[in-house]
Amino acid sequence: MSVTLQYDTDDTGTKTITIDNLVVAGWTARDRAAVDHHIAELAALGVPAPSQVPLFYRLSAQLLTQAEDVEFLGGEASGEIEPLIIDDGEALWLGLGSDHTDRKLESVSVAFSKQACAKPVARQLWRFDDLRDRLDDLVLTSWIRDADDAEWQLYQQGTLAAIRPLAELMATSPFAQGERLAPGTAMMCGTFGAMGGVRPAGQFHMELHDPERDRRIAHSYRAKALPVIA
């Protein structure tokens, strides 16, 4: 099943893209010590270690959303900022998403926990090939808070240099087609450890910053917890 989203691009204006395939790359830190840190971070929540690194989780494309209010079952899900690659069949695009994950379910199955949550994504895209030679300089930052009147708390921060090269992740993904992805594919490419540990929050804000051109892709969303009925 596919989903159709509208994006503002950096060179062609508004673009409508239909996404048929969604894959989330996990355990993608370039530094193995950072991978082990994230594994330990999640192990503290009861999440089993991965069978290999990186791993590619195939999910329903219909999980992708640009909504600013998203509902999740229970109160134990949390966001993760990730670079997003989209191949629309004509060009590669770089965007931004949150691999929001049910942490309680994650202790049972990482794959099921990812499929259980919508994946909020920003509305802006940059042409990938224009950034290919300086991807490592791009900065990812996320903040969390629980209410509109609360202070934003820095939650994650790092550059793409901390994540395996995106071209390498594309080449080893289940939707690889040469140096591209299969048309209609979106791939989230991994994240960083959370400052102070992984934890839920009522609101999540994320930004991708291009320091050379001083431009940003950003998105905020509210996470509403639905009651768990026995």
Side-chain angles (χ1 to χ4, degrees), residues 195-218:
M195 299 177 185
V198 175
R199 57 198 184 279
Q203 298 182 29
F204 192 86
H205 178 72
M206 54 186 174
E207 289 187 358
L208 174 62
H209 180 216
D210 175 4
E212 182 171 306
R213 295 182 58 181
D214 194 23
R215 57 180 179 165
R216 287 174 170 81
I217 292 176

Side-chain angles (χ1 to χ4, degrees), residues 17-216:
I17 301 177
T18 297
I19 299 170
D20 304 304
N21 312 303
L22 172 60
V23 59
V24 173
W27 322 102
T28 63
R30 203 174 298 189
D31 177 4
R32 182 57 199 237
V35 175
D36 292 339
H37 171 76
H38 192 46
I39 291 173
E41 183 178 60
L42 294 178
L45 302 175
V47 180
S51 57
Q52 64 182 51
V53 293
L55 278 180
F56 296 93
Y57 302 95
R58 290 190 58 179
L59 305 178
S60 169
Q62 292 182 322
L63 293 175
L64 295 172
T65 179
Q66 294 170 329
E68 296 178 359
D69 293 280
V70 188
E71 296 177 324
F72 303 98
L73 189 63
E76 298 183 59
S78 62
E80 292 184 345
I81 189 171
E82 305 208 1
L84 174 72
I85 299 174
I86 295 176
D87 195 322
D88 66 0
E90 299 176 357
L92 275 174
W93 301 95
L94 180 66
L96 181 65
S98 173
D99 178 19
H100 209 95
T101 300
D102 185 320
R103 301 303 173 186
K104 185 174 183 179
L105 185 56
E106 194 172 34
S107 65
V108 178
S109 167
V110 175
F112 276 93
S113 70
K114 293 183 179 299
Q115 178 63 37
C117 294
K119 307 301 181 191
V121 295
R123 297 175 182 274
Q124 301 85 34
L125 293 175
W126 295 335
R127 191 173 287 272
F128 186 89
D129 286 341
D130 292 345
L131 295 159
R132 191 182 289 270
D133 295 335
R134 55 187 182 88
L135 286 168
D136 284 357
D137 297 330
L138 302 184
V139 182
L140 291 164
T141 309
S142 70
W143 297 262
I144 58 173
R145 67 180 183 182
D146 285 317
D148 290 345
D149 58 354
E151 294 288 333
W152 286 104
Q153 301 175 37
L154 184 63
Y155 188 59
Q156 297 169 282
Q157 189 169 57
T159 67
L160 265 65
I163 295 174
R164 288 175 185 255
L166 302 190
E168 175 186 316
L169 291 175
M170 283 192 289
T172 53
S173 82
F175 293 102
Q177 286 196 2
E179 296 183 350
R180 299 274 297 272
L181 295 169
T185 298
M187 183 170 71
M188 290 186 174
C189 301
T191 192
F192 315 112
M195 299 177 185
V198 175
R199 57 198 184 279
Q203 298 182 29
F204 192 86
H205 178 72
M206 54 186 174
E207 289 187 358
L208 174 62
H209 180 216
D210 175 4
E212 182 171 306
R213 295 182 58 181
D214 194 23
R215 57 180 179 165
R216 287 174 170 81

